[in-house]
Amino acid sequence: MDVDADVDAVADELYGLVPARFTEVRDERAAKARKDGQAQAARAIAGLRRPTRAAFASNLLVRRRPKEVAAFLELGAALRRAHRSLDGTQLKDLSHQRHVVVAALARTARQLAEAEGQAVSESVAHEVEQTLHAALADPDAAEQWSSGRLATALTPPVGFTGLPATAPVRLQPAVTRTEAPPKPKPKPKPKPKPKSTPKPSRAAEQRRARHEQARRKAEETGAEATAREAELREAERGQRDHEQALAEADARVAELERQLRGARTGRTEARRALAEATGPVRDAARAAGAARHNADAAADRLAELPGAQE
C-alpha cells in the first residue's frame, strides 16, 4: 500500500472535519494504521495538527467553492506578475479587485463556518483575510491554502500591497569632478520627427488578455458572493417568517384546545344539573300518579256503597 497516498487520504478527511472532532478521529486513524503494521503512516497521521478556527474556515472555503478558488489563484498570479514588472496601471486595477474579492471570500468563509456550528469572531475573520492576502502574494502560500489542509492561518509577506507607491529610482554613481574651462554651447539640433507608437507585442497582448480575464472572473466572483449573501438573508427572513407562523399556529391550537376543554367541562356540568333537576320531577310525577290512583280507587269504593246510586 502507498503510505503517502494513505496519509493524504486521511489528511483530506481530517481537515474537512470541525476542529472539535479532529483529535478523536486522528487518533483513531493513527491507531488503525499501527494495528495494520503501517508504523510510518501512523506517525505521520499522529503528527497532523488540529486546525484553528481561521484555518478551518479557510479550508472549508477551498473545499466548498472550487470555482471561486480557481479565479482567486489566477488573480494572485496576475498580481505577482504585475508587481514584478512594476506595471502601475495594472497594479492599481488588480489591487482594487484584490480588496473586493478578499472581503467577499472572507465573508463566504465565515458564513460556511457558522453554518457548520463554528462561531467566527472578528479576530478569526481577520486571520482568514490575512490568509487570503498571503495566498495572493506568495505562490507557496497559495499552494498551501488551495490544498484545503491548513492547520493555522497564513501571514502575508511584509510590505506586499499589490501596488508600490512609486517606481524604484536608479541612482547614478557619484562622479568626482575637476575644474575645467567652460565648453562652448553646442548648436541646437533640429528636433527629431515624432516616432510612431510601436504596436504592442503578441506576448503583451496575451498578458493583457489574461489580466482582463482575471479581472472579469474576480468581478464575477464578487457578484456571486454578493448574490449568495442576498439569498442567505432572504432564506433567513423566510425562516423567521415561517417560525413566527408556526408560533402563531401553535398559540391558536392551544386556544382552541382551551376552548374545547371549557366546552367539555360545561357540557358535563349541564348534564349533572339536568340529572339533579330530573330526579325531583320524576318523584313528583310518581307521587301525582299514586295520588290519582288512590283517588280513583276511593271513588270506586264510594260508588259501591248502598244508596250511592240514589
Side-chain angles (χ1 to χ4, degrees), residues 6-31 41-52 55-56 59-60 63 147-151:
D6 191 50
V7 174
D8 284 343
V10 173
D12 282 336
E13 175 194 9
L14 292 176
Y15 286 105
L17 300 174
V18 295
R21 294 195 58 211
F22 183 90
T23 302
E24 178 186 358
V25 178
R26 179 198 62 191
D27 293 346
E28 289 177 357
R29 299 295 181 267
R43 285 193 297 272
I45 293 171
L48 295 174
R49 297 172 57 193
R50 170 179 167 170
T52 63
F56 170 74
N59 293 336
L60 201 58
R63 292 163 182 263
S147 71
R149 298 183 194 171
L150 290 180

Side-chain angles (χ1 to χ4, degrees), residues 75 78-79 81-83 85-100 161-165 211 215 219:
L75 174 62
L79 262 172
R81 286 194 298 269
H83 195 273
S85 64
L86 297 175
D87 189 329
T89 302
Q90 291 180 0
L91 277 173
K92 186 175 181 180
D93 294 340
L94 293 173
S95 181
H96 174 70
Q97 295 175 33
R98 175 173 65 91
H99 289 294
V100 172
T161 62
L163 181 63
H211 293 162
R215 184 186 64 80
E219 290 176 348

Side-chain angles (χ1 to χ4, degrees), residues 31 100 114 141 144 163 254 281:
V100 172
E114 290 177 344
Q144 293 178 49
L163 181 63
V281 171

Side-chain angles (χ1 to χ4, degrees), residues 50-307:
R50 170 179 167 170
T52 63
R53 285 184 182 268
F56 170 74
S58 300
N59 293 336
L60 201 58
L61 175 66
V62 170
R63 292 163 182 263
R64 299 284 180 83
R65 296 290 186 268
K67 291 183 179 179
E68 288 87 335
V69 168
F72 187 75
L73 293 174
E74 290 183 10
L75 174 62
L79 262 172
R80 293 190 295 273
R81 286 194 298 269
H83 195 273
R84 286 194 298 270
S85 64
L86 297 175
D87 189 329
T89 302
Q90 291 180 0
L91 277 173
K92 186 175 181 180
D93 294 340
L94 293 173
S95 181
H96 174 70
Q97 295 175 33
R98 175 173 65 91
H99 289 294
V100 172
V101 173
V102 165
L105 288 183
R107 285 195 300 271
T108 301
R110 185 173 192 168
Q111 293 166 1
L112 290 172
E114 290 177 344
E116 293 294 325
Q118 304 300 302
V120 177
S121 64
E122 291 301 323
S123 61
V124 172
H126 178 69
E127 290 182 15
V128 173
E129 290 185 357
Q130 291 295 95
T131 298
L132 293 171
H133 284 300
L136 284 177
D138 181 61
D140 292 335
E143 184 176 357
Q144 293 178 49
W145 172 71
S146 61
S147 71
R149 298 183 194 171
L150 290 180
T152 59
L154 301 177
T155 303
V158 178
F160 179 83
T161 62
L163 181 63
T166 57
V169 179
R170 292 183 174 85
L171 299 178
Q172 299 293 336
V175 178
T176 304
R177 298 184 177 181
T178 58
E179 294 295 331
K183 295 181 180 180
K185 293 182 180 180
K187 295 180 180 180
K189 296 180 180 180
K191 294 183 179 180
K193 295 182 180 180
K195 296 180 180 180
S196 59
T197 304
K199 294 183 179 180
S201 65
R202 183 176 181 182
E205 289 291 341
Q206 290 176 345
R207 283 197 301 272
R208 187 175 296 107
R210 287 197 297 271
H211 293 162
E212 179 64 20
Q213 183 180 10
R215 184 186 64 80
R216 287 197 301 269
K217 287 186 177 180
E219 290 176 348
E220 292 171 359
T221 300
E224 290 175 1
T226 302
R228 281 195 297 275
E229 283 187 354
E231 292 173 358
L232 179 61
R233 287 195 296 270
E234 184 63 27
E236 290 175 347
R237 189 180 302 111
Q239 180 68 19
R240 287 194 298 270
D241 294 342
H242 180 64
E243 291 174 352
Q244 182 179 358
L246 287 177
E248 292 174 354
D250 290 340
R252 180 58 179 164
V253 169
E255 176 62 21
L256 291 174
E257 289 177 348
R258 187 188 64 78
Q259 294 177 6
L260 178 59
R261 287 194 299 271
R264 287 175 175 171
T265 302
R267 183 182 62 183
T268 301
E269 292 176 354
R271 285 178 176 176
R272 185 182 301 110
L274 179 61
E276 292 174 356
T278 302
V281 171
R282 222 175 11 247
D283 295 340
R286 283 196 296 268
R292 188 169 53 252
H293 177 73
N294 292 336
D296 290 340
D300 291 339
R301 286 195 297 273
L302 286 176
E304 291 175 359
L305 294 175

